[in-house]
Amino acid sequence: MTNQPIQNENLIPEQPEEDVRAAPLFGKRKEPRKVSLAGAVFFALLLSVGTFLCAYVTMSAQTAAKLREMDGTYAKYAKMEALLKFIEENYIRDYDDALLWENVYGAMFDSIGDPYSTYMTAEEYAQYASDRTGNYVGIGISVAYDQATGGAFVHRVTTDSPAAKAGLQPGDVVTAVEDLVLTEETYSQGLDLVRGEEGTSVKLTILRDGESLQVDVVRGKMKTENVFYEKLEGNVAYIEIISFSEVVTYDQFASALGKAKEDGCTSYVFDLRNNPGGSLDVICKCLDLLLPEGDIVHIVSADGKSESKKSDGEHFLDAPMTVLCNGNTASAAELFTADLRDYGLATIVGETTFGKGTMQFISPLNDGSAVKITYRYYNPASNVSYEGIGIKPDEGCEVVLTEEELNNFYKMTHEEDRQLQKALEVLLGK
């Protein structure tokens, strides 16, 4: 998909972390003193060797193994020291010392070959931590890349939001933010410009019915909307879940189910297309509102040991269900899909899912940065992993969208949405 939504200007996708652990690997930065690259590495080398020597003295039974370990460690640090010294002594231009080190840290995680294990700078982690609260300062729109114009197609406008008060409407296309014209290259930069301090204004140029308009929107505090409910013809509840993020998703999902029941809905479509996943605790709580008593997830550690989380069956939803998914349905959203399938509760409609069945945890560092690493697998109720495979739609329920439909995904009406229409056909047929 080239047009995934940026829900409420939230630019950092959710990932399925079980917890956030402290990892004081570095002390706080002291400014403005600058330490040479070679000196910093040499200090690290001395510390490493010193640590080894202490271990060597106290664990003499492992002398040979420790000597080999020291030799390897020394060679690695010595080579890095030599390379950095070579740069310092020979490179003709100025360079950013801090940026060099940030790239070194990032390269360590890039090199292990896992796309979900990453290093985050202090700025990146601060933004990530802010987004996890469910609150942000913005204008209250959900947008998707508009291939026809290079702008941001307004998919939703939050009720009573700054955007709504300024007159923005679903269907508008933001073509410029301040003086930055949005193109494929500047799209992300433009969305960043929408963020800012509460009470400040941002100038948007929008395209509406072929006419270009300028709108000033005053930024305000917003709460992320992750779940949307709508009653469709035939007493069908259509519930779209953007992600299983902390803080907001569970309450919004429970509220949507409650409204559907009040409205007399007798069957359900859960739309998880483009849902990247989220928190393990949140997905388990959401599934507990649907499943009978039994397993929700099996968590498998690196040594093969497994533990399970279960539903109590108290809120079992005994009604026909379908789940809409596609290639961007990932992680916790796949667990949702797989569990409803495994319990025989839902028909899976759409396209094969992404195939992510691993968990990560985040360790903040004392200098404000953080590291995220994959440390466990998790399987659905059937205990059959979908890691690297994904979840296929049920037989006869695969509906592959054309390139044109993908490019206009968020412009489609319910009637034009062939995947949704297939899901409704399945439900009404039951």
PDB file of all heavy atoms in Angstrom, residues 71-95:
ATOM      1  N   ASP A  71      40.900 -11.868  23.330  1.00  0.00           N
ATOM      2  CA  ASP A  71      41.560 -11.644  22.051  1.00  0.00           C
ATOM      3  C   ASP A  71      40.580 -11.109  21.024  1.00  0.00           C
ATOM      4  O   ASP A  71      40.866 -10.167  20.293  1.00  0.00           O
ATOM      5  CB  ASP A  71      42.193 -12.950  21.555  1.00  0.00           C
ATOM      6  CG  ASP A  71      43.408 -13.342  22.383  1.00  0.00           C
ATOM      7  OD1 ASP A  71      43.915 -12.456  23.092  1.00  0.00           O
ATOM      8  OD2 ASP A  71      43.816 -14.513  22.314  1.00  0.00           O
ATOM      9  N   GLY A  72      39.367 -11.700  20.958  1.00  0.00           N
ATOM     10  CA  GLY A  72      38.368 -11.256  19.995  1.00  0.00           C
ATOM     11  C   GLY A  72      37.867  -9.865  20.304  1.00  0.00           C
ATOM     12  O   GLY A  72      37.727  -9.024  19.409  1.00  0.00           O
ATOM     13  N   THR A  73      37.606  -9.611  21.581  1.00  0.00           N
ATOM     14  CA  THR A  73      37.118  -8.296  21.980  1.00  0.00           C
ATOM     15  C   THR A  73      38.160  -7.222  21.693  1.00  0.00           C
ATOM     16  O   THR A  73      37.842  -6.156  21.156  1.00  0.00           O
ATOM     17  CB  THR A  73      36.765  -8.288  23.480  1.00  0.00           C
ATOM     18  OG1 THR A  73      35.764  -9.269  23.715  1.00  0.00           O
ATOM     19  CG2 THR A  73      36.250  -6.925  23.917  1.00  0.00           C
ATOM     20  N   TYR A  74      39.394  -7.503  22.048  1.00  0.00           N
ATOM     21  CA  TYR A  74      40.466  -6.527  21.830  1.00  0.00           C
ATOM     22  C   TYR A  74      40.595  -6.198  20.354  1.00  0.00           C
ATOM     23  O   TYR A  74      40.729  -5.036  19.973  1.00  0.00           O
ATOM     24  CB  TYR A  74      41.793  -7.083  22.361  1.00  0.00           C
ATOM     25  CG  TYR A  74      42.938  -6.104  22.226  1.00  0.00           C
ATOM     26  CD1 TYR A  74      43.192  -5.162  23.218  1.00  0.00           C
ATOM     27  CD2 TYR A  74      43.740  -6.106  21.087  1.00  0.00           C
ATOM     28  CE1 TYR A  74      44.213  -4.246  23.080  1.00  0.00           C
ATOM     29  CE2 TYR A  74      44.769  -5.192  20.947  1.00  0.00           C
ATOM     30  CZ  TYR A  74      45.003  -4.262  21.942  1.00  0.00           C
ATOM     31  OH  TYR A  74      46.012  -3.349  21.796  1.00  0.00           O
ATOM     32  N   ALA A  75      40.533  -7.219  19.496  1.00  0.00           N
ATOM     33  CA  ALA A  75      40.686  -6.984  18.058  1.00  0.00           C
ATOM     34  C   ALA A  75      39.567  -6.098  17.520  1.00  0.00           C
ATOM     35  O   ALA A  75      39.797  -5.211  16.695  1.00  0.00           O
ATOM     36  CB  ALA A  75      40.704  -8.323  17.326  1.00  0.00           C
ATOM     37  N   LYS A  76      38.341  -6.327  18.015  1.00  0.00           N
ATOM     38  CA  LYS A  76      37.207  -5.526  17.539  1.00  0.00           C
ATOM     39  C   LYS A  76      37.363  -4.056  17.935  1.00  0.00           C
ATOM     40  O   LYS A  76      37.199  -3.152  17.118  1.00  0.00           O
ATOM     41  CB  LYS A  76      35.899  -6.085  18.109  1.00  0.00           C
ATOM     42  CG  LYS A  76      35.532  -7.458  17.558  1.00  0.00           C
ATOM     43  CD  LYS A  76      34.341  -8.034  18.310  1.00  0.00           C
ATOM     44  CE  LYS A  76      34.059  -9.454  17.868  1.00  0.00           C
ATOM     45  NZ  LYS A  76      32.967 -10.068  18.658  1.00  0.00           N
ATOM     46  N   TYR A  77      37.689  -3.816  19.198  1.00  0.00           N
ATOM     47  CA  TYR A  77      37.822  -2.435  19.654  1.00  0.00           C
ATOM     48  C   TYR A  77      39.054  -1.770  19.041  1.00  0.00           C
ATOM     49  O   TYR A  77      39.031  -0.581  18.719  1.00  0.00           O
ATOM     50  CB  TYR A  77      37.895  -2.375  21.177  1.00  0.00           C
ATOM     51  CG  TYR A  77      36.557  -2.519  21.837  1.00  0.00           C
ATOM     52  CD1 TYR A  77      36.220  -3.671  22.534  1.00  0.00           C
ATOM     53  CD2 TYR A  77      35.613  -1.503  21.768  1.00  0.00           C
ATOM     54  CE1 TYR A  77      34.987  -3.816  23.140  1.00  0.00           C
ATOM     55  CE2 TYR A  77      34.377  -1.637  22.369  1.00  0.00           C
ATOM     56  CZ  TYR A  77      34.062  -2.790  23.056  1.00  0.00           C
ATOM     57  OH  TYR A  77      32.844  -2.927  23.650  1.00  0.00           O
ATOM     58  N   ALA A  78      40.118  -2.540  18.895  1.00  0.00           N
ATOM     59  CA  ALA A  78      41.343  -1.984  18.320  1.00  0.00           C
ATOM     60  C   ALA A  78      41.113  -1.552  16.873  1.00  0.00           C
ATOM     61  O   ALA A  78      41.602  -0.508  16.433  1.00  0.00           O
ATOM     62  CB  ALA A  78      42.466  -3.003  18.389  1.00  0.00           C
ATOM     63  N   LYS A  79      40.353  -2.338  16.124  1.00  0.00           N
ATOM     64  CA  LYS A  79      40.061  -1.983  14.737  1.00  0.00           C
ATOM     65  C   LYS A  79      39.207  -0.725  14.674  1.00  0.00           C
ATOM     66  O   LYS A  79      39.454   0.166  13.847  1.00  0.00           O
ATOM     67  CB  LYS A  79      39.346  -3.143  14.034  1.00  0.00           C
ATOM     68  CG  LYS A  79      39.082  -2.863  12.554  1.00  0.00           C
ATOM     69  CD  LYS A  79      38.523  -4.099  11.861  1.00  0.00           C
ATOM     70  CE  LYS A  79      38.292  -3.817  10.383  1.00  0.00           C
ATOM     71  NZ  LYS A  79      37.792  -5.022   9.672  1.00  0.00           N
ATOM     72  N   MET A  80      38.199  -0.624  15.550  1.00  0.00           N
ATOM     73  CA  MET A  80      37.366   0.576  15.562  1.00  0.00           C
ATOM     74  C   MET A  80      38.200   1.803  15.932  1.00  0.00           C
ATOM     75  O   MET A  80      38.070   2.870  15.319  1.00  0.00           O
ATOM     76  CB  MET A  80      36.206   0.418  16.558  1.00  0.00           C
ATOM     77  CG  MET A  80      35.305   1.647  16.613  1.00  0.00           C
ATOM     78  SD  MET A  80      33.915   1.448  17.735  1.00  0.00           S
ATOM     79  CE  MET A  80      32.895   0.326  16.778  1.00  0.00           C
ATOM     80  N   GLU A  81      39.075   1.638  16.913  1.00  0.00           N
ATOM     81  CA  GLU A  81      39.943   2.752  17.307  1.00  0.00           C
ATOM     82  C   GLU A  81      40.822   3.191  16.139  1.00  0.00           C
ATOM     83  O   GLU A  81      40.966   4.394  15.870  1.00  0.00           O
ATOM     84  CB  GLU A  81      40.815   2.345  18.484  1.00  0.00           C
ATOM     85  CG  GLU A  81      41.747   3.468  18.944  1.00  0.00           C
ATOM     86  CD  GLU A  81      42.750   2.997  19.976  1.00  0.00           C
ATOM     87  OE1 GLU A  81      42.866   1.780  20.187  1.00  0.00           O
ATOM     88  OE2 GLU A  81      43.416   3.860  20.567  1.00  0.00           O
ATOM     89  N   ALA A  82      41.346   2.227  15.417  1.00  0.00           N
ATOM     90  CA  ALA A  82      42.217   2.552  14.285  1.00  0.00           C
ATOM     91  C   ALA A  82      41.453   3.275  13.181  1.00  0.00           C
ATOM     92  O   ALA A  82      41.944   4.242  12.589  1.00  0.00           O
ATOM     93  CB  ALA A  82      42.854   1.271  13.741  1.00  0.00           C
ATOM     94  N   LEU A  83      40.227   2.850  12.905  1.00  0.00           N
ATOM     95  CA  LEU A  83      39.419   3.482  11.856  1.00  0.00           C
ATOM     96  C   LEU A  83      39.052   4.916  12.224  1.00  0.00           C
ATOM     97  O   LEU A  83      39.131   5.831  11.398  1.00  0.00           O
ATOM     98  CB  LEU A  83      38.160   2.650  11.606  1.00  0.00           C
ATOM     99  CG  LEU A  83      38.380   1.292  10.931  1.00  0.00           C
ATOM    100  CD1 LEU A  83      37.064   0.524  10.865  1.00  0.00           C
ATOM    101  CD2 LEU A  83      38.960   1.468   9.535  1.00  0.00           C
ATOM    102  N   LEU A  84      38.653   5.117  13.470  1.00  0.00           N
ATOM    103  CA  LEU A  84      38.278   6.455  13.895  1.00  0.00           C
ATOM    104  C   LEU A  84      39.489   7.390  13.917  1.00  0.00           C
ATOM    105  O   LEU A  84      39.398   8.564  13.553  1.00  0.00           O
ATOM    106  CB  LEU A  84      37.624   6.388  15.277  1.00  0.00           C
ATOM    107  CG  LEU A  84      36.274   5.657  15.304  1.00  0.00           C
ATOM    108  CD1 LEU A  84      35.812   5.446  16.736  1.00  0.00           C
ATOM    109  CD2 LEU A  84      35.227   6.445  14.528  1.00  0.00           C
ATOM    110  N   LYS A  85      40.620   6.865  14.342  1.00  0.00           N
ATOM    111  CA  LYS A  85      41.846   7.673  14.337  1.00  0.00           C
ATOM    112  C   LYS A  85      42.239   8.033  12.908  1.00  0.00           C
ATOM    113  O   LYS A  85      42.677   9.155  12.624  1.00  0.00           O
ATOM    114  CB  LYS A  85      42.980   6.912  15.015  1.00  0.00           C
ATOM    115  CG  LYS A  85      44.262   7.729  15.177  1.00  0.00           C
ATOM    116  CD  LYS A  85      45.306   6.947  15.955  1.00  0.00           C
ATOM    117  CE  LYS A  85      46.572   7.782  16.136  1.00  0.00           C
ATOM    118  NZ  LYS A  85      47.609   7.023  16.877  1.00  0.00           N
ATOM    119  N   PHE A  86      42.024   7.096  11.997  1.00  0.00           N
ATOM    120  CA  PHE A  86      42.322   7.343  10.581  1.00  0.00           C
ATOM    121  C   PHE A  86      41.460   8.492  10.042  1.00  0.00           C
ATOM    122  O   PHE A  86      41.947   9.366   9.315  1.00  0.00           O
ATOM    123  CB  PHE A  86      42.064   6.063   9.786  1.00  0.00           C
ATOM    124  CG  PHE A  86      42.395   6.181   8.328  1.00  0.00           C
ATOM    125  CD1 PHE A  86      43.697   6.075   7.878  1.00  0.00           C
ATOM    126  CD2 PHE A  86      41.389   6.402   7.404  1.00  0.00           C
ATOM    127  CE1 PHE A  86      44.008   6.190   6.527  1.00  0.00           C
ATOM    128  CE2 PHE A  86      41.673   6.519   6.058  1.00  0.00           C
ATOM    129  CZ  PHE A  86      42.991   6.413   5.607  1.00  0.00           C
ATOM    130  N   ILE A  87      40.179   8.503  10.426  1.00  0.00           N
ATOM    131  CA  ILE A  87      39.296   9.588  10.000  1.00  0.00           C
ATOM    132  C   ILE A  87      39.772  10.915  10.567  1.00  0.00           C
ATOM    133  O   ILE A  87      39.883  11.922   9.852  1.00  0.00           O
ATOM    134  CB  ILE A  87      37.848   9.305  10.443  1.00  0.00           C
ATOM    135  CG1 ILE A  87      37.283   8.100   9.687  1.00  0.00           C
ATOM    136  CG2 ILE A  87      36.952  10.529  10.212  1.00  0.00           C
ATOM    137  CD1 ILE A  87      35.930   7.654  10.185  1.00  0.00           C
ATOM    138  N   GLU A  88      40.065  10.933  11.866  1.00  0.00           N
ATOM    139  CA  GLU A  88      40.498  12.170  12.526  1.00  0.00           C
ATOM    140  C   GLU A  88      41.764  12.744  11.899  1.00  0.00           C
ATOM    141  O   GLU A  88      41.897  13.958  11.722  1.00  0.00           O
ATOM    142  CB  GLU A  88      40.749  11.908  14.013  1.00  0.00           C
ATOM    143  CG  GLU A  88      39.489  11.790  14.836  1.00  0.00           C
ATOM    144  CD  GLU A  88      39.800  11.722  16.314  1.00  0.00           C
ATOM    145  OE1 GLU A  88      40.912  11.270  16.676  1.00  0.00           O
ATOM    146  OE2 GLU A  88      38.948  12.135  17.109  1.00  0.00           O
ATOM    147  N   GLU A  89      42.687  11.882  11.554  1.00  0.00           N
ATOM    148  CA  GLU A  89      43.991  12.354  11.080  1.00  0.00           C
ATOM    149  C   GLU A  89      44.009  12.692   9.592  1.00  0.00           C
ATOM    150  O   GLU A  89      44.872  13.447   9.147  1.00  0.00           O
ATOM    151  CB  GLU A  89      45.062  11.299  11.377  1.00  0.00           C
ATOM    152  CG  GLU A  89      45.319  11.112  12.871  1.00  0.00           C
ATOM    153  CD  GLU A  89      46.366  10.050  13.130  1.00  0.00           C
ATOM    154  OE1 GLU A  89      46.729   9.321  12.170  1.00  0.00           O
ATOM    155  OE2 GLU A  89      46.826   9.934  14.290  1.00  0.00           O
ATOM    156  N   ASN A  90      43.053  12.156   8.818  1.00  0.00           N
ATOM    157  CA  ASN A  90      43.160  12.297   7.372  1.00  0.00           C
ATOM    158  C   ASN A  90      41.995  12.994   6.683  1.00  0.00           C
ATOM    159  O   ASN A  90      42.184  13.551   5.606  1.00  0.00           O
ATOM    160  CB  ASN A  90      43.337  10.909   6.732  1.00  0.00           C
ATOM    161  CG  ASN A  90      44.638  10.253   7.130  1.00  0.00           C
ATOM    162  OD1 ASN A  90      45.710  10.599   6.634  1.00  0.00           O
ATOM    163  ND2 ASN A  90      44.545   9.292   8.055  1.00  0.00           N
ATOM    164  N   TYR A  91      40.811  12.976   7.278  1.00  0.00           N
ATOM    165  CA  TYR A  91      39.648  13.517   6.570  1.00  0.00           C
ATOM    166  C   TYR A  91      39.761  15.027   6.450  1.00  0.00           C
ATOM    167  O   TYR A  91      40.042  15.721   7.432  1.00  0.00           O
ATOM    168  CB  TYR A  91      38.358  13.122   7.275  1.00  0.00           C
ATOM    169  CG  TYR A  91      37.122  13.506   6.501  1.00  0.00           C
ATOM    170  CD1 TYR A  91      36.935  13.053   5.196  1.00  0.00           C
ATOM    171  CD2 TYR A  91      36.151  14.330   7.062  1.00  0.00           C
ATOM    172  CE1 TYR A  91      35.805  13.399   4.470  1.00  0.00           C
ATOM    173  CE2 TYR A  91      35.014  14.673   6.354  1.00  0.00           C
ATOM    174  CZ  TYR A  91      34.855  14.208   5.047  1.00  0.00           C
ATOM    175  OH  TYR A  91      33.731  14.563   4.326  1.00  0.00           O
ATOM    176  N   ILE A  92      39.529  15.550   5.256  1.00  0.00           N
ATOM    177  CA  ILE A  92      39.815  16.947   4.950  1.00  0.00           C
ATOM    178  C   ILE A  92      38.715  17.903   5.382  1.00  0.00           C
ATOM    179  O   ILE A  92      38.967  19.089   5.617  1.00  0.00           O
ATOM    180  CB  ILE A  92      40.090  17.100   3.427  1.00  0.00           C
ATOM    181  CG1 ILE A  92      40.705  18.463   3.136  1.00  0.00           C
ATOM    182  CG2 ILE A  92      38.812  16.875   2.624  1.00  0.00           C
ATOM    183  CD1 ILE A  92      41.174  18.597   1.702  1.00  0.00           C
ATOM    184  N   ARG A  93      37.481  17.418   5.489  1.00  0.00           N
ATOM    185  CA  ARG A  93      36.346  18.299   5.821  1.00  0.00           C
ATOM    186  C   ARG A  93      35.899  18.105   7.270  1.00  0.00           C
ATOM    187  O   ARG A  93      36.261  17.129   7.921  1.00  0.00           O
ATOM    188  CB  ARG A  93      35.183  18.025   4.872  1.00  0.00           C
ATOM    189  CG  ARG A  93      35.468  18.325   3.415  1.00  0.00           C
ATOM    190  CD  ARG A  93      34.185  18.187   2.584  1.00  0.00           C
ATOM    191  NE  ARG A  93      34.447  18.507   1.185  1.00  0.00           N
ATOM    192  CZ  ARG A  93      34.759  17.619   0.260  1.00  0.00           C
ATOM    193  NH1 ARG A  93      34.881  16.336   0.595  1.00  0.00           N
ATOM    194  NH2 ARG A  93      34.974  17.980  -0.997  1.00  0.00           N
ATOM    195  N   ASP A  94      35.088  19.063   7.732  1.00  0.00           N
ATOM    196  CA  ASP A  94      34.483  18.927   9.053  1.00  0.00           C
ATOM    197  C   ASP A  94      33.387  17.866   9.005  1.00  0.00           C
ATOM    198  O   ASP A  94      32.796  17.631   7.943  1.00  0.00           O
ATOM    199  CB  ASP A  94      33.885  20.260   9.510  1.00  0.00           C
ATOM    200  CG  ASP A  94      34.959  21.306   9.767  1.00  0.00           C
ATOM    201  OD1 ASP A  94      36.091  20.909  10.085  1.00  0.00           O
ATOM    202  OD2 ASP A  94      34.652  22.506   9.633  1.00  0.00           O
ATOM    203  N   TYR A  95      33.124  17.250  10.111  1.00  0.00           N
ATOM    204  CA  TYR A  95      32.019  16.299  10.193  1.00  0.00           C
ATOM    205  C   TYR A  95      31.384  16.400  11.572  1.00  0.00           C
ATOM    206  O   TYR A  95      31.963  16.941  12.519  1.00  0.00           O
ATOM    207  CB  TYR A  95      32.482  14.860   9.920  1.00  0.00           C
ATOM    208  CG  TYR A  95      33.540  14.352  10.865  1.00  0.00           C
ATOM    209  CD1 TYR A  95      33.186  13.717  12.052  1.00  0.00           C
ATOM    210  CD2 TYR A  95      34.897  14.520  10.578  1.00  0.00           C
ATOM    211  CE1 TYR A  95      34.151  13.256  12.929  1.00  0.00           C
ATOM    212  CE2 TYR A  95      35.866  14.063  11.450  1.00  0.00           C
ATOM    213  CZ  TYR A  95      35.491  13.425  12.622  1.00  0.00           C
ATOM    214  OH  TYR A  95      36.453  12.974  13.482  1.00  0.00           O
TER     215      TYR A  95
END
